[in-house]
Amino acid sequence: MSNSVKVENRMARARRRNRTQETPKPANPAPAGAEGGSFKPLGDHQIEQIVAAAYEVLSRTGIEVGAGAPRDLFERAGCRIDSEKSRVFIPAHLIDDALSNAKPEVLLAGREEKHDLHLGGRRVYMGTGGQAVKILGIDDIVRETTLADNYNIGRLVDTLEHIHFYMRPVVCRDLANEDIDINQLYACVSATKKHVMSNAYLPERVADLREMGEMLVGGAQAFDARPPISMVASWVVSPLRYAMETVEILDEIIANDLPVVLSSAPQSGASSPASLAGTLVQLTAEQLSGFVYVNLKKPGHPTIMGCVPAQADLRTGAFIGGSAEFALMNAACAQIAQHLKLPIYNSAGIADSKIGDAQAGFEKGLTTATAALAGSNYIHHSAGFLESLLTVAYEQYVIDNDVNGTIMRLTRGIEVNEDTLALDVIHDVCSGGPNHYLGHAQTFSLMHSEYQYPELFDRRTRADWEADGALDLRMVAKARARDILSNHWPEAIPDDIDQKIREKFKILLPRKSMKP
């Protein structure tokens, strides 16, 4: 058989395979929910070793649970209890039972379907994160964060395509504790119809948060079918200790049927072992104990694995979020979650730099790309953060939107099928057709589906850039943020519903009047 015939036969087989494997070409070159999974820092056997070690930690070392209802729940389920040391030892069969009842996919709905997050598998979504205590203003002045910042950042996020969800980003330093829960949620949901994740400081406020969510969507049935809000509970303090006051909040979240993230955030070398693998073992054990607890409370409750491994700089003890080690551990957590068939929330984009400079760009790109390529589902902190979680900046959200869009294009990967192999196109151009591909019909047809174009990153010539003022990226982003904040006032809550919310709750944010 001649070489030409072999080549033709090979291509014919490839065409037949592609006809059965092709998926519709996305209209968006960087779609939310693109599937990752191409980056795998752990091999299959290593994942199995880590999970098996986590099982051993829970049965041998156990987890500290203070006296009270949570420990009693574990004891009734058959866990061995060391009351003197407040330790609960969880047997393997309870972990297996929890995993068998856990939902492999969780819907976090937007108030418009285009904003829905279908968490599970290797689908990737990126958004904001929370609890910064400082904000770098457009005027470059750093100040404490306020309730209004949650609203104003939300208005920015509402316009930014590649920030897929809105997790309340900053602490309301201007409010009393009893006023924070309902007001921070209101500030977020009044700024955008994207899915909002929040938290609660007081267990008695959780039912109020659920009620506000129901008011937004038209009742309990609509809420349960498409939950527009969800909660995060940092119910464990590393290493391996339940934060009993937060467990009370978790109990209320479960009782009120709110989707929940079980968030634990050990720092390698400080609150978890210095070895990255050891940190992953401890973190997995903490997570598995949480899934057991939720399963004992309410089997099948929509629960998301919340892994936020970080590290301490062992020279200073400082929290670090922009390192290769941080990137590796968060990507590895995505693999562990996929192995356990659990949806995952984890972290990226926590720059240690104090401003949006080259260091910040590198740290954000490194950590966000690895998490996305590993197939993390809900990547929070991916936008806005600086100074190792302490500070956010308005212009940084605009910059990170471009970063996220580029990474989502990277995550989507390369489609290989009969059309994209472009055999006829190559033949046309090289056999008497147009003498370049710029003029070919395929190029025009793929221009907006194959290629991602950043909004702010400058690709012009130096001469054009200089003629336009030679502005650096931060300057351009500040101008863009200022324009959005001056002009974008979303109608995220209809007036009649807003009025009912204000009659029901003590809302402190004046509508449409809090300018930065």
Side-chain angles (χ1 to χ4, degrees):
M1 183 182 295
S2 68
N3 285 337
S4 61
V5 172
K6 290 179 181 178
V7 169
E8 288 177 5
N9 288 343
R10 186 179 301 119
M11 294 308 300
R13 289 195 296 272
R15 290 189 184 100
R16 286 195 294 272
R17 284 196 299 272
N18 280 317
R19 287 190 188 106
T20 61
Q21 296 172 2
E22 284 179 27
T23 56
K25 180 174 63 181
N28 183 344
E35 290 206 0
S38 60
F39 178 56
K40 298 180 179 181
L42 297 175
D44 291 344
H45 179 59
Q46 293 172 311
I47 297 171
E48 291 169 358
Q49 285 181 295
I50 289 168
V51 172
Y55 270 68
E56 182 173 346
V57 165
L58 290 177
S59 64
R60 176 189 177 198
T61 305
I63 190 158
E64 182 181 331
V65 182
R71 188 203 288 176
D72 295 343
L73 182 67
F74 280 118
E75 187 169 20
R76 288 196 301 272
C79 294
R80 181 168 61 90
I81 307 294
D82 183 336
S83 299
E84 184 177 341
K85 296 181 179 179
S86 296
R87 300 206 76 79
V88 171
F89 302 90
I90 302 176
H93 72 88
L94 289 182
I95 303 172
D96 292 340
D97 186 53
L99 293 176
S100 69
N101 287 327
K103 291 182 180 296
E105 295 188 5
V106 171
L107 169 65
L108 302 183
R111 279 179 282 154
E112 296 175 344
E113 274 192 43
K114 66 182 180 180
H115 297 312
D116 286 358
L117 313 174
H118 298 274
L119 304 188
R122 296 181 174 86
R123 289 186 291 275
V124 176
Y125 303 90
M126 294 191 283
T128 62
Q131 296 212 307
V133 295
K134 296 184 288 184
I135 189 163
L136 175 64
I138 295 174
D139 56 5
D140 278 339
I141 295 174
V142 178
R143 59 170 173 79
E144 285 194 339
T145 52
T146 68
L147 172 64
D149 291 316
N150 281 308
Y151 177 57
N152 289 322
I153 294 168
R155 291 194 294 123
L156 276 178
V157 166
D158 192 55
T159 71
L160 299 173
E161 177 185 3
H162 304 295
I163 299 178
H164 305 132
F165 56 82
Y166 191 40
M167 183 177 180
R168 63 92 187 88
V170 301
V171 175
C172 304
R173 303 279 283 180
D174 55 337
L175 298 187
N177 281 350
E178 60 267 23
D179 293 325
I180 289 177
D181 294 340
I182 199 71
N183 278 280
Q184 70 179 3
L185 179 62
Y186 173 83
C188 294
V189 298
S190 63
T192 181
K193 290 186 177 180
K194 294 180 181 181
H195 183 85
V196 170
M197 183 178 287
S198 192
N199 70 328
Y201 292 94
L202 301 173
E204 59 267 27
R205 291 286 184 268
V206 174
D208 292 338
L209 302 182
R210 162 79 192 212
E211 185 174 358
M212 181 186 288
E214 291 181 6
M215 294 171 77
L216 291 172
V217 296
Q221 187 174 358
F223 185 103
D224 290 334
R226 293 179 46 77
I229 63 172
S230 56
M231 302 292 288
V232 59
S234 300
W235 94 111
V236 71
V237 177
S238 298
L240 293 163
R241 176 169 64 86
Y242 275 26
M244 300 305 291
E245 67 281 0
T246 309
V247 176
E248 290 183 45
I249 294 168
L250 174 60
D251 287 346
E252 289 299 313
I253 292 169
I254 296 168
N256 283 278
D257 289 319
L258 288 156
V260 66
V261 170
L262 301 177
S263 177
S264 49
Q267 289 185 56
S268 182
S271 56
S272 63
S275 65
L276 304 190
T279 291
L280 294 173
V281 169
Q282 179 187 300
L283 177 53
T284 303
E286 289 169 349
Q287 287 294 315
L288 290 175
S289 81
F291 274 84
V292 170
Y293 182 74
V294 173
N295 186 58
L296 294 175
K297 295 286 290 186
K298 186 181 292 185
H301 183 82
T303 307
I304 300 160
M305 187 175 181
C307 299
V308 192
Q311 72 178 98
D313 188 317
L314 297 183
R315 301 167 299 180
T316 64
F319 172 92
I320 298 298
S323 66
E325 295 83 5
F326 179 97
L328 284 167
M329 287 191 289
N330 277 275
C333 285
Q335 291 185 270
I336 294 168
Q338 290 154 18
H339 174 81
L340 296 172
K341 295 181 172 56
L342 298 173
I344 183 168
Y345 149 121
N346 64 356
S347 193
I350 303 174
D352 299 315
S353 181
K354 313 308 176 284
I355 61 172
D357 57 6
Q359 177 185 336
F362 173 77
E363 291 170 337
K364 286 170 174 290
L366 171 71
T367 59
T368 308
T370 48
L373 290 175
S376 295
N377 301 144
Y378 185 105
I379 304 174
H380 80 312
H381 294 138
S382 80
F385 268 98
L386 298 165
E387 200 183 350
S388 309
L389 282 181
L390 291 175
T391 301
V392 293
Y394 283 117
E395 73 268 15
Q396 196 62 50
Y397 289 95
V398 183
I399 294 170
D400 291 343
N401 182 63
D402 265 9
V403 174
N404 287 0
T406 301
I407 290 170
M408 290 306 299
R409 178 63 190 93
L410 186 68
T411 302
R412 183 188 133 202
I414 299 173
E415 287 84 30
V416 179
N417 56 50
E418 188 168 358
D419 289 336
T420 62
L421 289 171
L423 292 178
D424 291 339
V425 176
I426 295 168
H427 184 77
D428 287 347
V429 170
C430 297
S431 302
N435 60 5
H436 55 72
Y437 293 98
L438 283 173
H440 197 282
Q442 189 203 50
T443 303
F444 289 105
S445 73
L446 295 179
M447 180 176 178
H448 294 293
S449 61
E450 191 81 346
Y451 297 91
Q452 170 66 17
Y453 303 99
E455 183 178 350
L456 297 186
F457 293 175
D458 198 305
R459 295 175 171 179
R460 298 172 296 172
T461 65
R462 176 174 290 273
D464 288 342
W465 173 69
E466 289 176 343
D468 201 26
L471 303 177
D472 69 21
L473 181 59
R474 279 192 74 212
M475 297 166 70
V476 175
K478 284 182 181 182
R480 176 69 177 129
R482 188 180 291 111
D483 177 66
I484 295 170
L485 293 172
S486 296
N487 296 296
H488 183 65
W489 301 93
E491 297 287 347
I493 305 178
D495 288 341
D496 59 332
I497 295 176
D498 187 76
Q499 182 61 35
K500 290 177 182 177
I501 290 173
R502 289 175 178 275
E503 290 171 359
K504 176 69 178 179
F505 303 109
K506 181 184 175 184
I507 300 298
L508 301 175
L509 186 72
R511 200 166 188 217
K512 296 185 183 178
S513 63
M514 302 299 290
K515 294 188 177 182

